[in-house]
Amino acid sequence: MPISLNDNKDSQLKLSLAQWSFHRTIRSQKMDHLDFAIKAKSMGFDAIEYVNQFFPDKATDYNYLNEMNTRASRAGVKQLLIMVDEKENLSDLNKLNRLQAIEDHKKWIDAAAYLNCHSIRVNLYGNGDPNKTAEVAVDSLTQLCAIAKKANLNILVENHGQLSSHGKWLAQVISKVNLSNCGTLPDFANFCVEREGGALWSKPCINEYDKYKGIEELMPYAKAVSSKSFDFDENGQEINIDFERMMKIIKAANYKGYISIEYEGDNLSEEEGILKTKRLLEQYL
């Protein structure tokens, strides 16, 4: 199993808060990105994970990054990683597009290093030939990891749509890269391999990979974990995902890092959904 250059593993499992949990609040401008750290702390979190969609033009703005560092330090929270969503695709079969994708990610590696993060999360979309897509994905990750190594950073891939949501496929890609700073960020719910019309998002899922099998396959390479949640029953259990089963898989893999909370439901406020997920996870920590 690969070992992180900047190992984020502690002696016990801990909880962090993923910024995507507040995506509606931030997009509606009811919360500023810079206020996320102190909000997370007020809800009982000591670590946070950013999404670059909420500060897309700030990767090279070091005054802004300094302010992020200052606010996180004042709040007493660790900045763990940046989830990077860029237009260009790291697994694009077109070489020029793929090289542009690598170039687009460089600035986020630098920004993450400046924020003392341990990783950036990248995407490997693709719904073409699995073997060809895997080949180019390995090449892209190898190049990115070489760049990230100089900054003592990891490159993590999330199961995040299309081929990347096929647990076995993604695990084999990471295995073929075979670098100490290349790993996964398993997400409890993102296992839709195919949607109607070949869409990446929004359309109904017509081919979903078994989420428990997928988590088992990705955990040996995990340097971060995302506990996605949507809705809860009267006993506080997530109705779509067996959290107890997921936590058994995580513990069986001897993972000792952070588990981030990423609430994405519609029936509760974002804050209520986050706190319900937190209480649920605390039962199994």
Side-chain angles (χ1 to χ4, degrees), residues 97 101 114 125 148 152 212 221:
N97 291 345
Y114 196 81
Y125 303 131
N152 200 34
Y212 305 103
Y221 305 96

Side-chain angles (χ1 to χ4, degrees), residues 8-16 188 219 224-225 246-260 281-282 284-285:
N8 61 308
K9 295 184 179 182
D10 294 300
S11 60
Q12 61 182 2
L13 294 169
K14 296 183 179 181
L15 299 181
S16 59
F188 284 8
M219 280 309 302
V225 174
M246 286 296 191
M247 290 301 293
K248 286 180 178 178
I249 294 170
I250 290 169
K251 290 179 179 181
N254 199 33
Y255 177 77
K256 297 292 190 296
Y258 282 90
I259 299 175
S260 73
L281 283 168
E282 286 172 344
Y284 305 116
L285 289 181

Side-chain angles (χ1 to χ4, degrees), residues 228-278:
K228 184 72 62 63
S229 60
F230 298 92
D231 210 351
F232 305 86
D233 64 19
E234 63 276 9
N235 297 315
Q237 297 295 316
E238 220 289 339
I239 62 175
N240 303 286
I241 302 165
D242 185 338
F243 267 53
E244 183 177 14
R245 184 175 176 184
M246 286 296 191
M247 290 301 293
K248 286 180 178 178
I249 294 170
I250 290 169
K251 290 179 179 181
N254 199 33
Y255 177 77
K256 297 292 190 296
Y258 282 90
I259 299 175
S260 73
I261 288 173
E262 192 174 59
Y263 173 69
E264 204 169 343
D266 298 317
N267 295 327
L268 300 170
S269 71
E270 290 175 319
E271 186 162 346
E272 288 174 313
I274 291 165
L275 292 174
K276 273 188 173 290
T277 310
K278 185 173 184 287

Side-chain angles (χ1 to χ4, degrees), residues 58-116:
K58 304 298 185 182
T60 59
D61 185 340
Y62 288 93
N63 287 329
Y64 192 87
L65 298 179
N66 272 329
E67 184 64 21
M68 289 174 64
N69 277 334
T70 297
R71 297 200 186 194
S73 177
R74 286 176 180 170
V77 299
K78 293 182 180 179
Q79 300 171 112
L80 298 181
L81 59 87
I82 303 175
M83 297 185 181
V84 178
D85 298 306
E86 287 290 346
K87 179 178 67 174
E88 303 295 347
N89 186 359
L90 290 166
S91 55
D92 197 314
L93 295 179
N94 182 295
K95 185 176 181 179
L96 290 178
N97 291 345
R98 193 166 65 255
L99 290 175
Q100 184 60 54
I102 293 169
E103 188 65 30
D104 290 344
H105 283 77
K106 288 181 181 179
K107 61 182 180 292
W108 292 108
I109 290 173
D110 292 340
Y114 196 81
L115 297 173
N116 294 312

Side-chain angles (χ1 to χ4, degrees), residues 32-220:
D32 188 273
H33 163 77
L34 289 172
D35 294 326
F36 173 57
I38 192 167
K39 180 63 176 178
K41 184 66 173 183
S42 73
M43 297 176 70
F45 294 94
D46 295 318
I48 54 178
E49 301 179 4
Y50 294 119
V51 180
N52 78 329
Q53 293 184 39
F54 302 131
F55 58 118
D57 58 344
K58 304 298 185 182
T60 59
D61 185 340
Y62 288 93
N63 287 329
Y64 192 87
L65 298 179
N66 272 329
E67 184 64 21
M68 289 174 64
N69 277 334
T70 297
R71 297 200 186 194
S73 177
R74 286 176 180 170
V77 299
K78 293 182 180 179
Q79 300 171 112
L80 298 181
L81 59 87
I82 303 175
M83 297 185 181
V84 178
D85 298 306
E86 287 290 346
K87 179 178 67 174
E88 303 295 347
N89 186 359
L90 290 166
S91 55
D92 197 314
L93 295 179
N94 182 295
K95 185 176 181 179
L96 290 178
N97 291 345
R98 193 166 65 255
L99 290 175
Q100 184 60 54
I102 293 169
E103 188 65 30
D104 290 344
H105 283 77
K106 288 181 181 179
K107 61 182 180 292
W108 292 108
I109 290 173
D110 292 340
Y114 196 81
L115 297 173
N116 294 312
C117 297
H118 64 69
S119 305
I120 66 167
R121 185 276 278 144
V122 305
N123 295 306
L124 291 180
Y125 303 131
N127 56 5
D129 179 84
N131 293 325
K132 291 181 180 178
T133 304
E135 183 180 342
V136 299
V138 168
D139 179 66
S140 292
L141 289 176
T142 300
Q143 291 190 55
L144 266 188
C145 285
I147 298 165
K149 185 176 182 179
K150 297 174 185 177
N152 200 34
L153 234 68
N154 302 304
I155 302 295
L156 308 185
V157 185
E158 180 181 357
N159 49 302
H160 207 212
Q162 297 181 341
L163 280 172
S164 75
S165 290
H166 190 290
K168 184 177 180 180
W169 181 89
L170 181 53
Q172 288 177 339
V173 167
I174 303 301
S175 177
K176 288 178 181 177
V177 175
N178 194 29
L179 292 172
S180 63
N181 65 328
C182 187
T184 60
L185 194 164
D187 182 287
F188 284 8
N190 290 342
F191 283 101
C192 183
V193 177
E194 184 180 5
R195 296 184 183 275
E196 286 185 0
L200 181 58
W201 308 115
S202 303
K203 299 287 186 179
C205 184
I206 58 176
N207 181 11
E208 186 168 14
Y209 198 79
D210 183 278
K211 61 175 69 73
Y212 305 103
K213 179 182 178 183
I215 293 294
E216 284 184 347
E217 291 167 331
L218 297 179
M219 280 309 302

